[in-house]
Amino acid sequence: MAFHWNEQPGAYTSEDIRPQLFAELGFVTPEAFDTARSGNAFWAGFSSEDLSPLDTDLLVWLDDGEVVGKLKALALRKGLRAHREGRELYADEVLTAAFSHGSLLSLPYVIDEMLPLVEAAVDGDPATPVRSTHEAGLAP
């Protein structure tokens, strides 16, 4: 679960509801996310010059409404294997908001919307389009 906020890329730690939901799907939050956080923060910031901690089996970008342009401008993002191999997923504002609320009302929507995107991203075929990433203009 990655984001770009305050001119810095980052990711949520394993203690946050977003990665916890994906843990229930069998994904593991990289230890680097937990060790890079500051104090008791539920997120970790990373340098735009070294995105390697974000190069995971599935890279999910969450958007607050202003992220697409920042991701397109993030030069090293295109060097990530997750990007090149089509294992990058983009969650628009509505999906991100539902995910961030993590309520009994919003989580069914998240699951219904996310699962087809996750399936496309991790099917092992880089040619399989991930609808959300293509629609946002972030596909390789």
Side-chain angles (χ1 to χ4, degrees), residues 34-87:
D34 291 336
T35 57
R37 71 179 172 184
S38 178
N40 291 330
F42 60 93
W43 59 276
F46 298 105
S47 168
S48 296
E49 288 80 34
D50 181 13
L51 298 179
S52 61
L54 299 176
D55 206 359
T56 56
D57 292 335
L58 175 65
L59 177 55
V60 179
W61 289 104
L62 301 176
D63 190 353
D64 64 358
E66 301 177 9
V67 170
V68 172
K70 294 174 183 178
L71 293 179
K72 288 179 180 178
L74 199 55
L76 295 180
R77 185 183 131 261
K78 292 183 179 182
L80 296 174
R81 281 184 46 236
H83 173 76
R84 292 190 322 267
E85 295 176 4
R87 293 182 283 107

Side-chain angles (χ1 to χ4, degrees), residues 1 21-27 58 60 89-91 95 99 106-123 128-132:
M1 298 292 133
L21 177 63
F22 270 65
E24 293 296 320
L25 299 174
F27 293 95
L58 175 65
V60 179
L89 184 158
Y90 167 75
L95 184 52
F99 210 3
S106 67
L107 288 178
Y109 173 79
V110 170
I111 291 167
D112 289 346
E113 292 295 314
M114 270 295 183
L115 285 182
L117 302 174
V118 170
E119 288 170 349
V122 298
D123 74 347
T128 301
V130 179
R131 178 182 40 84
S132 66

